[in-house]
Amino acid sequence: MDIYMGMIFQNFEFLIKMVLATVMGAIIGFERKSRNKEAGIRTHAIVSLASALMMIVSKYGFFDIIEFDAARVAAQVVSGIGFLGTGLIFVKNNAVNGLTTAAGIWATAGIGLAMGAGLYAVAIFGTLLIVIVQILMHKDTFLSKDHLTITFEISL
C-alpha cells in the first residue's frame, strides 16, 4: 500500500511541475502577445509544458535501466527548440525580425526544463527575469537606444 501511495504522490508532483511550467510559459507568452509578436501565449505555454514533460521523462522514465544518462533526452530539447526558433527568424531588406521571439522560445524551453527537474525557484526567477528584460529592453521603453543616443556637435 505504501508503494502505491508513493507512486500517486510522485505522479501528482509531476502534474504540478507540468502545470507550473505551463503557467510560466503563458506568462512569458502574454508579454509577447501584448506586443503582437509571432509566438504568443499558446506557443510559449506549449513549449514550456513540452520541455517539462521531456525533462520528467528523461529524469524519471528510465529508472529501470541500470546505466542511463538522464540528461540525454533533455539535451535534445535544446537542439529541437533551436530548430523551431529558426523558423521564427526572417530577414527582409537587411532587417532581422523575430530574433527576440526565437530567443524567448529558447529561454522558455529552459524554464520548462528547470521546472521539470524540480528547480522551482530557478524557473520562477528565470521567468521573472525574462519578462523584465523583454519589457525594459523593448524599443518603446526608456532604455531603448533612441533614448540613450548622445549627439556631439563641434563648432569651429
Side-chain angles (χ1 to χ4, degrees):
M1 190 69 172
D2 290 336
I3 294 173
Y4 294 118
M5 290 305 290
M7 289 175 60
I8 290 171
F9 178 74
Q10 187 178 36
N11 284 322
F12 184 69
E13 183 182 6
F14 295 158
L15 292 174
I16 288 177
K17 288 178 180 182
M18 291 189 307
V19 167
L20 288 174
T22 305
V23 169
M24 298 295 112
I27 290 169
I28 296 169
F30 179 77
E31 189 280 331
R32 296 279 79 195
K33 181 183 181 296
S34 69
R35 299 200 189 275
N36 295 320
K37 299 301 179 178
E38 297 85 9
I41 296 172
R42 285 187 306 170
T43 304
H44 283 81
I46 290 170
V47 165
S48 189
L49 167 62
S51 298
L53 179 62
M54 298 300 173
M55 178 56 91
I56 291 167
V57 168
S58 181
K59 191 172 177 182
Y60 303 102
F62 303 104
F63 66 90
D64 55 342
I65 299 173
I66 296 171
E67 291 184 29
F68 74 99
D69 183 7
R72 182 171 278 177
V73 174
Q76 296 308 310
V77 170
V78 177
S79 299
I81 294 301
F83 179 75
L84 180 66
T86 303
L88 293 168
I89 301 170
F90 297 99
V91 178
K92 183 178 180 182
N93 297 332
N94 292 329
V96 178
N97 292 322
L99 192 57
T100 302
T101 302
I105 289 287
W106 193 59
T108 301
I111 297 298
L113 290 173
M115 193 61 76
L119 303 172
Y120 301 110
V122 170
I124 292 168
F125 189 67
T127 300
L128 292 175
L129 281 176
I130 290 167
V131 172
I132 288 169
V133 166
Q134 287 178 337
I135 291 171
L136 288 182
M137 301 297 183
H138 195 267
K139 63 184 173 186
D140 295 336
T141 62
F142 69 95
L143 290 176
S144 70
K145 65 181 177 184
D146 294 337
H147 297 285
L148 296 177
T149 303
I150 300 172
T151 306
F152 293 101
E153 292 184 24
I154 300 174
S155 301
L156 296 175

